Amino acid sequence: MTQVVVVTGAASGIGAAVARHFAGLGARVVVADIDEAGGAAVAEEVGGLFVRCDTTGEQDNQALIDTAVQTYGGLDLVHLNAGIGDGGGFGEDDYDTRRRHRVLAVNLHGVMFGLHAALPALAAHGGGSLLVTSSMAGLGAAPFDPVYAATKYGVIGLVRSLAPAWQEKGVRINALCPGFVRTPILSPEAVAYLLGEGYALAEPAEIAASAAGIAAGEETGQAYVLQAGRAPEPVAFPRLDLARTRA
């Protein structure tokens, strides 16, 4: 049966690679992005459908899912991948309220809106898989961009908190936590610096292949570290047992 796949932030980088990967598997792919020219080009390349979507708007997220369902009859996989960096720091010289709110709107609020729209649609089609792109910055520390890190921590919290209830409806939700990836979010100067310091950069196609494997699995509520040349590594979160008083 042909899969129907929706990918946000799919005009370039990881999102475009995911769109290409699933199209190569024979899926019908809906390419969503605020970048109309880039998104339309990827959609044409993969024989898919382009939908302009500003993920910071709740109505745009709902319209994206509705369009996919109306066009193809249902959904099997939604990858909420859209994200941006550079939320500014917390010093006197680099604290920027506008930038901070923009990163929160795209990386956290946009994911909330996407989840709210996609989860019922996946359940109504008999279940499926939902992926959210977080980051290794959501597992460690990113002093160079603390606002970005905060949003990526938040994404993992959403995934882990929503997964148990939606599993009962046949929907699996997992987070992807890539390390450094050669995408437009890294400037040429940043790429040169990272390579000079000996860091490995994954290619978007490598991340896309890992994403497909995770989407096809049975796990839910997990966060997977994705790094160049390595298989996906599930994060071992601590088990927290809340204390109860007894009469």
Side-chain angles (χ1 to χ4, degrees):
M1 186 174 178
T2 303
Q3 279 192 313
V4 178
V5 177
V6 171
V7 188
T8 67
S12 62
I14 292 173
V18 170
R20 294 184 183 107
H21 186 92
F22 278 99
L25 297 176
R28 293 170 174 167
V29 181
V30 179
V31 174
D33 206 292
I34 198 170
D35 176 357
E36 296 187 38
V42 172
E44 182 177 3
E45 176 188 343
V46 302
L49 173 69
F50 171 69
V51 176
R52 185 189 184 282
C53 179
D54 180 350
T55 58
T56 66
E58 193 163 9
Q59 291 183 342
D60 269 26
N61 281 275
Q62 190 62 58
L64 168 63
I65 298 302
D66 290 346
T67 298
V69 172
Q70 291 164 9
T71 303
Y72 295 123
L75 288 176
D76 299 289
L77 168 66
V78 176
H79 186 170
L80 303 177
N81 169 73
I84 59 174
D86 194 16
F90 271 68
E92 293 183 3
D93 298 329
D94 59 356
Y95 186 86
D96 188 316
T97 298
R98 182 191 61 80
R99 282 161 54 194
R100 183 192 68 197
H101 280 294
R102 179 63 180 165
V103 172
L104 285 167
V106 175
N107 293 2
L108 189 55
H109 298 160
V111 170
M112 290 180 182
F113 296 150
L115 288 165
H116 187 258
L119 286 167
L122 286 164
H125 192 54
S129 185
L130 203 153
L131 300 176
V132 179
T133 300
S134 178
S135 168
M136 282 183 64
L139 297 168
F144 55 89
D145 200 342
V147 178
Y148 174 81
T151 63
K152 295 306 184 178
Y153 270 90
V155 161
I156 293 172
L158 276 171
V159 166
R160 287 171 50 75
S161 299
L162 290 170
W166 286 93
Q167 184 177 21
E168 298 175 4
K169 301 179 182 182
V171 182
R172 302 180 308 281
I173 316 171
N174 291 291
L176 309 180
C177 302
F180 294 120
V181 185
R182 198 187 297 269
T183 71
I185 203 170
L186 291 178
S187 68
E189 293 78 15
V191 169
Y193 171 80
L194 291 170
L195 292 175
E197 291 295 311
Y199 290 103
L201 267 65
E203 296 297 330
E206 182 180 1
I207 302 300
S210 294
I214 292 166
E218 296 300 322
E219 296 296 322
T220 191
Q222 301 295 317
Y224 292 88
V225 173
L226 306 180
Q227 297 193 78
R230 299 184 185 179
E233 301 173 49
V235 176
F237 290 100
R239 178 176 177 177
L240 303 177
D241 294 318
L242 298 180
R244 296 185 179 183
T245 59
R246 297 193 180 189

